[in-house]
Amino acid sequence: MIKGCQNECTGGGCSGEMGKQMTESFKASDLIITPATTFKEKPDPTGLVFGTVFTDNMLTIEWSLASGWEKPYIKPLENLSLHPASSALHYAIELFEGMKAYRGVDGKIRLFRPTLNMARMARSARRTTLPSFDQNELLECIRKLVEVEQEWVPYSTSASLYIRPTLIGTEPSLGVKKPTKALLYVILSPVGPYFASGSFNPISLWADPKYVRAWKGGTGDCKLGGNYGCTIYAQQEALEYGCQQVLWLYGEDHQITEVGTMNLFLYWINEDGENELATPPLDGIILPGVTRQSILDLALNWGEFKVSERYITMGDLTAALEENRVKEMFGAGTACIVCPISKILYKGKHLHIPTMENGPEVTTRFLNKLSDIQYGREDSDWAVLVS
C-alpha cells in the first residue's frame, strides 16, 4: 500500500482522484498536552446516567487534503467551532467508536481489546471516505488521554470510563462529495449501567418488520451516526407499546438481526437437537461488535456447546418456543456487556423468553468472565494496561 494514501491503493500509483496527495498519519510522539487547569467535581459512580457527564480534557486532531494530519492535541474540553456548511452536519459524513477504560480491583486501569475498535474505526472511515490513520498511533493517543484523565475512571466495578472516538467531515461545502477537511476527536464520559432498569435486569423487545435498521449493500456493518439517528423513531414506538428496545428484523422471512444497539445471541436446542449458541452472521447488515467477537471466542474456547454464526428467523424462534427448545436470549455490546431478554412483542402477541428461568446460566457466565477480565480479576491478553 502506498504510505498515507487515503484510498489505500496497493501499488502502481493511486487510483483515486485525491490520491495524489500523500496523507501521513499523525504520530503519538508529536502529541501536545496542555491540560485543563480548572477541574470539575467527579460524580458519584452510583448515580451516573449514560453519556451525560464529561471529563475535563479531550483529544483533537485536524486533517486536510492540502496538509494531511496535524499534530494531535490533548486540551481542555471545549465546544467545536464548525462552519454551518460542514459536511458532517448536512450529509452525515461522520463515524464514531465506543470503548471503555476500567479501574481494576488492583487499582490499575485497563482497556478491553482496543485494537478491535481501532480496526473497526478504520473500516468505517473507508466507507465514509474520511481519511485513513495509523491505528496504533491513535490508540496510543487515546491511552495518553485516559492517563491524563485517570482520576475520572470510576473507583467502582459497576462503572467505567466510556471513550468516544469520533471522526467528522468539516469541509465548508454543500457539495455531496468526499470531504477535503476532517476532525478526529475523542471525549470521555464516566458511566454506570446503560439501562435504567439496572445492569442485569431482563428487557422486553418490540419486533415489527415495518422498520429496518440496515440492508444489504448499506452501512449497517459500520459504526456511523446515521445508523443510529434513524432508529430513534422506532424506539419511541417500542416504548409506546411498553417495550424497552427494538428487535430489528430483516427480509420477508423476518430474520432476527440486532436488538436496540446491541448484537443478539440465542442459546437453544437447535433443530438437530444440539445445544447451540447462535448469533446472526456478519453479512453486511450486522455490526461486528467487540463484545460479540469476545463471546464467540470464549464459547469456542470452552468447547461445551455448538457455536454458530447463522440466520435465525422469527419463525425459527416461535417454533423453538413452542417446543420448549429456547434456553436464553441476550443482547451484547460495550455499553451493557450482556443484557438478558425476557419478552418479545411480535404480531400482537407477547412471546415469553425463558432466559431468567434458566439461570440465566450462560448469559451470567459470559458477564462474569468478561467483567473479570475488564476489572483485572483475571489476567488476559485482551486487557491492555493504561497505568
Side-chain angles (χ1 to χ4, degrees), residues 238-352:
L239 293 173
E240 290 172 8
Y241 281 104
C243 300
Q244 291 157 288
Q245 292 287 325
V246 178
L247 177 59
W248 297 103
L249 306 180
Y250 179 77
E252 293 183 1
D253 56 352
H254 297 180
Q255 292 172 26
I256 295 170
T257 62
E258 296 193 1
V259 48
T261 60
M262 299 178 284
N263 293 121
L264 180 133
F265 284 87
L266 174 65
Y267 182 58
W268 68 339
I269 300 171
N270 67 17
E271 302 89 340
D272 298 321
E274 304 165 300
N275 284 344
E276 179 183 53
L277 180 71
T279 192
L282 300 180
D283 61 355
I285 67 172
I286 302 296
L287 186 73
V290 175
T291 307
R292 174 190 183 276
Q293 187 60 53
S294 301
I295 287 171
L296 290 173
D297 291 343
L298 287 174
L300 287 168
N301 185 57
W302 293 342
E304 298 172 18
F305 42 78
K306 186 176 183 178
V307 180
S308 302
E309 296 178 71
R310 53 164 288 182
Y311 293 108
I312 308 163
T313 67
M314 285 303 297
D316 296 331
L317 179 62
T318 53
L321 286 169
E322 290 170 2
E323 296 166 10
N324 295 316
R325 292 190 285 111
V326 175
K327 296 185 176 183
E328 301 175 37
M329 195 174 189
F330 59 92
T334 297
C336 65
I337 306 180
V338 295
C339 182
I341 296 163
S342 61
K343 184 174 69 175
I344 299 173
L345 177 56
Y346 176 64
K347 292 184 175 180
K349 294 183 179 180
H350 290 279
L351 305 178
H352 176 69

Side-chain angles (χ1 to χ4, degrees), residues 167-236:
L167 180 55
I168 63 174
T170 56
E171 179 177 354
S173 169
L174 296 179
V176 183
K177 61 188 181 71
K178 188 175 183 177
T180 60
K181 289 187 177 181
L183 173 67
L184 194 163
Y185 64 90
V186 182
I187 53 178
L188 309 176
S189 174
V191 296
Y194 183 70
F195 294 106
S197 61
S199 61
F200 205 62
N201 290 329
I203 61 169
S204 58
L205 308 179
W206 178 62
D208 192 314
K210 70 179 179 180
Y211 297 122
V212 179
R213 176 196 165 269
W215 50 91
K216 297 290 179 67
T219 59
D221 58 346
C222 297
K223 206 162 178 67
L224 314 181
N227 292 344
Y228 292 77
C230 62
T231 67
I232 297 171
Y233 187 83
Q235 171 64 22
Q236 289 303 304

Side-chain angles (χ1 to χ4, degrees), residues 65-116:
L65 182 63
S67 305
W69 287 104
E70 304 293 339
K71 291 183 178 180
Y73 283 83
I74 289 176
K75 61 184 182 181
L77 182 75
E78 62 182 10
N79 292 336
L80 301 180
S81 177
L82 296 175
H83 191 281
S86 292
S87 51
L89 302 178
H90 294 267
Y91 307 122
I93 302 177
E94 62 83 50
L95 61 93
F96 68 94
E97 264 304 321
M99 49 200 291
K100 288 181 175 180
Y102 307 84
R103 188 178 299 277
V105 293
D106 55 0
K108 295 178 180 178
I109 297 171
R110 294 169 174 83
L111 304 176
F112 181 74
R113 306 191 81 174
T115 57
L116 296 183

